[in-house]
């Protein structure tokens, strides 16, 4: 804002300038006026000379006196004619002075303000006398009004100028402040586009377009950044970004959680100082040296366990292929490794399980061929062994096929309403004889009808496997009890025996393929170690659950809960 002080000085200067301008104009007009008057007076000289000179000499007689009087009366002012000695020979004044050598020639303003002109009368290159004329300068009309108008116009012009400047400067100030806002990232402000001045409104319009574009760009940039941040934080692998100077610039959530590391103060630290695993820092160093991506499978300790990781170091290059940093990715492959181990174990187990009966069949057959056939007792015994081993082989193969079928991804349950009580009755009927042969009583204490949601064939398989196990692992004189029970939202199948029981620490393992608490015993009983693995898969496919309660030497209870159809 202009200060008041400055405003006053400014006005004083403006007034002084205006006054000065008027004075100069006034002087110029005056000069022009007097010049014009001088010419008028000079033009009279030849006329006066014609009257005053007679045959080349100055001679004033009564006639010429009269003529001169008339002339002067006509044109106004006063007239004095001098001879060469400076003596007045004619004058309209009563007491004319002697002509002194005039200082200013031809025109000057005398002490009374009258204008005077003295002109020599020249005849054949000789001065014959002087003419002195005096008169009032004619007034220029309307000069005062002209000056007043000029003055007022000047003031108005200044005021108008002020107004325009103020208007422009306000708009420009507004535009400038908006530009400043834009430069500092505040894109919400808009300048007014509807002002009279088209240039300013065009400027504001452009600023608004710029602001809108910047706002859009900033928004999309933020969204992108947000997305990227979310992606980096929540990606399934641990990530560490290292800049070109080997300092940590980012550690994501997955890394923090997987390695349970205090990464909050890792930022801007050198990677060797903070990353605890020397294998990893070595790999990073190698990547820095080579500038190419490196990947290594590493087994890294985390607290009390060791996990497997696929660690990849990828260089981050700029447009000029210069190394700007490195991104380290930790992909947890512990589960994969576990699966791989399971697969290897499974193949080894299957081979072993298949080899045993086959070896036995071959061995006994060879013995028979070698002469044992001659002894009927031995022949009978060996053939029985060969038969039972072949049956074991058959069971093993069919159970393996069954298991692989259930484990197929597209294995589907044929959902039905299953009459559990009836299904259990049928199953028991088939197995009672087998139990009886071992001297075990098999009783069902179901008191109600239970309907489950599932595949009757598969549920029957579950029942057979559980009851067969109960028969297998219960000694003569023992008891097996089954029951179907309606629970709140499910139907329970209970199979309990008074058999050998299972140690608590063995319970989680009995569902593994080929796992048997007592391998020799299971083998003798014709077990394959696959029965409970099949049960577990089937129950999972039904969306049910298994509970096992057991006491070694006292007995075991398996409880399977199935879903009920929605009423
Ligand atoms: N009712 C039970 N009582 C005691 N042990 C059992 C019972 N059912 C299963 N087991 C134990 O669980 C192991 C795995 O069972 P399963 O998968 O059916 O294999 P198997 O072919 O040996 O029966 C058995 O070898 C046995 O040690
Ligand atoms: Mg079994």
């Amino acid at each position: 804002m202009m200060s008041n002080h400055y405003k006053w000085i400014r006005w004083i200067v403006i007034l002084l300038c205006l006054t000065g301008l008027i004075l100069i104009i006034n002087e110029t007009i005056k000069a022009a006026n007097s010049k014009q008057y001088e010419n008028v007076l000079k033009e009279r000289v030849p006329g006066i000379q014609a009257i005053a000179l007679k045959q080349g000499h100055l001679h004033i007689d009564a006639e010429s006196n009269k003529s001169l009087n008339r002339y002067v009366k006509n044109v106004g002012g006063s007239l004095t004619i001098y001879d060469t000695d400076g003596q007045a020979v004619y004058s309209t004044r009563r007491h004319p002075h002697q002509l002194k050598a005039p200082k200013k020639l031809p025109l000057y303003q005398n002490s009374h303000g009258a204008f005077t002109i003295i002109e020599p009368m020249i005849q054949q290159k000789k001065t014959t006398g002087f003419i002195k004329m005096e008169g009032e300068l004619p007034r220029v009309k309307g000069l005062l009004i002209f000056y007043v108008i000029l003055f007022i116009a000047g003031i108005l012009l200044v005021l108008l100028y002020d107004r325009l400047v103020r208007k422009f400067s306000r708009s420009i100030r507004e535009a400038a402040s908006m530009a400043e806002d834009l430069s500092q990232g505040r894109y919400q402000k808009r300048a007014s586009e509807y002002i009279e001045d088209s240039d300013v409104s065009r400027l504001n319009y452009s600023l608004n377009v710029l602001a809108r574009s910047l706002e859009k760009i900033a928004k999309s940039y933020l969204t992108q950044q947000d997305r990227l941040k979310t992606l980096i934080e929540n990606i399934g692998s641990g990530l560490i970004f290292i800049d070109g100077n080997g300092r940590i610039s980012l550690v994501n959530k997955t890394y923090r959680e997987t390695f349970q590391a205090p990464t909050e103060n890792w930022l801007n630290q050198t990677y060797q100082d903070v990353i605890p695993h020397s294998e990893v820092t070595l790999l990073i160093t190698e990547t820095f040296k080579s500038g190419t991506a490196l990947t290594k499978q590493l087994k890294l300790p985390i607290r009390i366990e060791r996990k497997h990781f696929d660690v990849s170091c990828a260089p981050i290059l700029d447009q000029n292929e210069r190394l700007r940093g490195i991104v380290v990715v930790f992909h947890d492959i512990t589960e994969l490794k576990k699966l791989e181990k399971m697969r290897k174990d499974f193949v080894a187990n299957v081979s072993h399980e298949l080899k045993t009966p086959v070896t036995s069949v071959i061995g006994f057959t060879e013995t028979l061929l070698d002469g044992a056939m001659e002894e009927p007792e031995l022949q009978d015994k060996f053939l029985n062994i060969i038969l039972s081993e072949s049956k074991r082989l058959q069971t093993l193969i069919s159970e393996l096929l069954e298991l692989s079928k259930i484990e197929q991804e597209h294995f589907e349950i044929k959902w039905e309403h299953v009459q559990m009580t009836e299904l259990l009755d049928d199953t028991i009927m088939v197995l009672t004889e087998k139990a009886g042969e071992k001297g075990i009583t098999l009783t069902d204490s179901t008191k109600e009808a239970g309907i489950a949601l599932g595949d009757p064939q598969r549920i029957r398989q579950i029942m057979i496997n559980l009851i067969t196990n109960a028969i297998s692992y219960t000694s003569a004189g023992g008891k097996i009890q089954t029951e179907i029970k309606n629970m709140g939202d499910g139907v329970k199948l209970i199979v309990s025996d008074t058999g050998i029981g299972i140690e608590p620490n063995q319970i989680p393992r009995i569902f593994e393929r080929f796992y048997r608490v007592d391998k020799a015993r299971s083998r003798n009983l014709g077990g394959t170690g696959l029965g409970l693995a099949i049960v577990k898969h089937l129950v999972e496919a039904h969306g049910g659950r298994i509970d096992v309660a057991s006491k070694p030497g006292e007995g075991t209870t398996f409880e399977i809960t199935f879903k009920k159809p929605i009423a």
Side-chain angles (χ1 to χ4, degrees), residues 545-560:
R545 79 177 246 187
I546 307 174
D547 293 292
V548 186
S550 184
K551 251 191 185 160
E554 286 185 20
T556 310
T557 302
F558 282 85
E559 291 189 358
I560 315 285

Side-chain angles (χ1 to χ4, degrees), residues 419-455:
Q419 300 291 340
M420 293 291 279
T421 313
E422 284 167 26
L423 192 66
L424 183 62
D425 276 350
D426 288 353
T427 315
I428 286 177
M429 217 140 62
V430 181
L431 294 170
T432 311
E433 199 192 320
K434 202 177 173 185
E437 277 170 15
K438 261 194 90 178
I440 297 167
T441 46
L442 172 56
T443 46
D444 178 40
S445 51
T446 305
K447 294 177 203 74
E448 53 191 2
I451 299 174
L453 197 62
D455 183 339

Side-chain angles (χ1 to χ4, degrees), residues 2 4-24 151 154-155 158 161-162:
M2 242 190 280
N4 259 353
H5 188 63
Y6 173 75
K7 239 179 181 173
W8 274 114
I9 293 178
R10 188 171 159 273
W11 274 114
I12 289 168
V13 170
I14 288 168
L15 290 179
L16 282 175
C17 285
L18 273 175
T19 317
L21 182 72
I22 288 170
L23 285 176
I24 289 168
F151 191 80
I155 300 277
V158 171
Y161 168 82
D162 271 5

Side-chain angles (χ1 to χ4, degrees), residues 3 26 66 72 141 171 178 303 464 479 513 545:
S3 73
N26 189 43
K66 232 163 120 186
V72 172
K141 276 179 209 148
S171 309
M178 184 164 161
R303 302 241 161 136
I464 291 175
K479 279 184 200 148
R513 288 177 291 196
R545 79 177 246 187

Side-chain angles (χ1 to χ4, degrees), residues 277-311:
H277 310 291
S278 58
E279 303 97 313
V280 177
T281 52
L282 259 172
L283 196 66
I284 297 169
T285 310
E286 248 175 83
T287 311
F288 264 118
K289 274 189 201 148
S290 67
T292 53
L294 296 175
T295 304
K296 212 170 179 184
Q297 285 196 1
L298 298 173
K299 204 171 173 187
L300 303 172
I302 301 169
R303 302 241 161 136
I304 51 163
E305 51 178 345
R306 287 166 82 82
K307 283 191 163 184
H308 292 269
F309 290 94
D310 218 13
V311 184

Side-chain angles (χ1 to χ4, degrees), residues 108-114:
Y108 65 92
Q109 197 171 13
N110 66 17
S111 48
H112 312 294

